Structure formats: structure tokens, C-alpha cells
């Protein structure tokens, strides 16, 4: 299976993400690469890339962007990290796909719904184009709600 086939599968899980406005994209690599193993993470750090190398993962699916945008005064550590990431990804032929919008909004399994379920709050069915859930915390103070 090629990276593009995995991406197509993910992107076809639902139709609520606007493909012209989404942040869901390949951040690095070749979509025609044959997938050996897939790793999933919140954000691709240098440590995540090393774990991928150690475990022979060549497709990383991430939620957040792994390359930060610097301002006009470039921070040396950001430049160094970016360069190190790109060198390792290139050397080990690793592709990185970001699924942010879909991962946030995917009904029941996405961030918005799964986190509310994890907390155990009663909640209204969320509009799948929304990032927000309306939860009910009847009888709990703000302090008690925060402690959940």
C-alpha cells in the first residue's frame, strides 16, 4: 500500500473537511512510497522521528505541524531542529502526513468527541463541522469540573 492510499482512506472517512481550506496535508516526503509501518503522534519532534527510525516506521501521521514558522528574527534552535528533522526524514525515506481538521472533527473518534467522552460529561450531539461540544456539568462547581 502506498502513502497516498492511506491518505485517501483517511480523507474519505467523512466529507466535512473543506479540502481547499484544510491544514490536512503532506508535510514531508513522497506519497508514492510503499508503506512499511505507520506511526501516529500528536506532534513530530526529533525524538518521534528517532522512534520511527528505530521501529522501521516510514509513514508518520501527526496532528500538529512539525515545522514552526519563525518571524523575521530567526531563532537558531528552530532552524537547527527543522534542518535535523528534514535530514533524518530524507535519509530514512519517511513521509509525514498531517491530519488536523479531520482528526479534530471526526465524529465519535476525533479529538472533540473522544475527549468529552473520556471526561464522562453528558453532552449534546456536536455538529460535525464544529470543533465545540456543549457539555453539562450539573451540580458541579467550576473547581470540581476542573478536577475531572
Amino acid at each position: 500500500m502506498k502513502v497516498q492510499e492511506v491518505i485517501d482512506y483517511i480523507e474519505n472517512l467523512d466529507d466535512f473537511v473543506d479540502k481547499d481550506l484544510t491544514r490536512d496535508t503532506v508535510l514531508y516526503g513522497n506519497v508514492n512510497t510503499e508503506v512499511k509501518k505507520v506511526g501516529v503522534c500528536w506532534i513530530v519532534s526529533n525524538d518521534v522521528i528517532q522512534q520511527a527510525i528505530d521501529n522501521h516506521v516510514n509513514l508518520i501521521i501527526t496532528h500538529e505541524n512539525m515545522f514552526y514558522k519563525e518571524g523575521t528574527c530567526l531563532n537558531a534552535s528552530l532552524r537547527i531542529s527543522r534542518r535535523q528533522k528534514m535530514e533524518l526524514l530524507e535519509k530514512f525515506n519517511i513521509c509525514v502526513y498531517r491530519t488536523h481538521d479531520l482528526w479534530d472533527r471526526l465524529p465519535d473518534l476525533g479529538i472533540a468527541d473522544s475527549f468529552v467522552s473520556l471526561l464522562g460529561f453528558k453532552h449534546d450531539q456536536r455538529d460535525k463541522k464544529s470543533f465545540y461540544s456543549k457539555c453539562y456539568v450539573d451540580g458541579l462547581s467550576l473547581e470540581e469540573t476542573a478536577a475531572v
Side-chain angles (χ1 to χ4, degrees):
M1 177 177 281
K2 304 245 186 248
V3 168
Q4 187 60 58
E5 293 174 278
V6 174
I7 293 169
D8 291 343
Y9 174 80
I10 292 168
E11 290 182 351
N12 286 311
L13 289 172
D14 215 314
D15 61 355
F16 53 84
V17 174
D18 184 334
K19 303 228 186 290
D20 294 326
L21 299 175
T22 186
R23 290 167 276 204
D24 299 1
T25 189
V26 173
L27 297 175
Y28 194 89
N30 184 340
V31 296
N32 293 313
T33 299
E34 193 69 30
V35 176
K36 296 179 203 167
K37 278 187 173 178
V38 178
V40 178
C41 66
W42 190 258
I43 189 165
V44 179
S45 64
N46 293 45
D47 289 339
V48 166
I49 294 171
Q50 189 58 56
Q51 287 180 39
I53 293 166
D54 294 345
N55 291 287
H56 310 287
V57 168
N58 70 333
L59 171 58
I60 299 173
I61 300 172
T62 184
H63 183 72
E64 295 297 343
N65 193 343
M66 68 175 179
F67 298 121
Y68 297 100
K69 297 195 184 277
E70 303 91 359
T72 55
C73 180
L74 298 179
N75 182 313
S77 62
L78 288 176
R79 288 194 319 268
I80 292 166
S81 177
R82 177 188 301 249
R83 188 184 74 243
Q84 288 172 338
K85 286 177 181 179
M86 292 173 71
E87 287 172 356
L88 287 171
L89 294 170
E90 183 68 28
K91 181 177 180 180
F92 291 93
N93 194 30
I94 298 172
C95 187
V96 178
Y97 173 67
R98 181 184 189 195
T99 175
H100 183 275
D101 299 343
L102 186 133
W103 196 344
D104 275 348
R105 297 179 186 158
L106 189 64
D108 301 319
L109 301 173
I111 302 299
D113 290 344
S114 63
F115 197 62
V116 168
S117 295
L118 176 72
L119 292 172
F121 293 139
K122 294 179 194 169
H123 59 282
D124 289 341
Q125 183 68 34
R126 179 184 55 84
D127 180 318
K128 63 184 180 176
K129 290 187 177 185
S130 170
F131 290 108
Y132 306 104
S133 295
K134 180 179 178 182
C135 299
Y136 299 94
V137 292
D138 297 332
L140 294 179
S141 68
L142 182 57
E143 184 178 12
E144 291 167 326
T145 303
V148 173

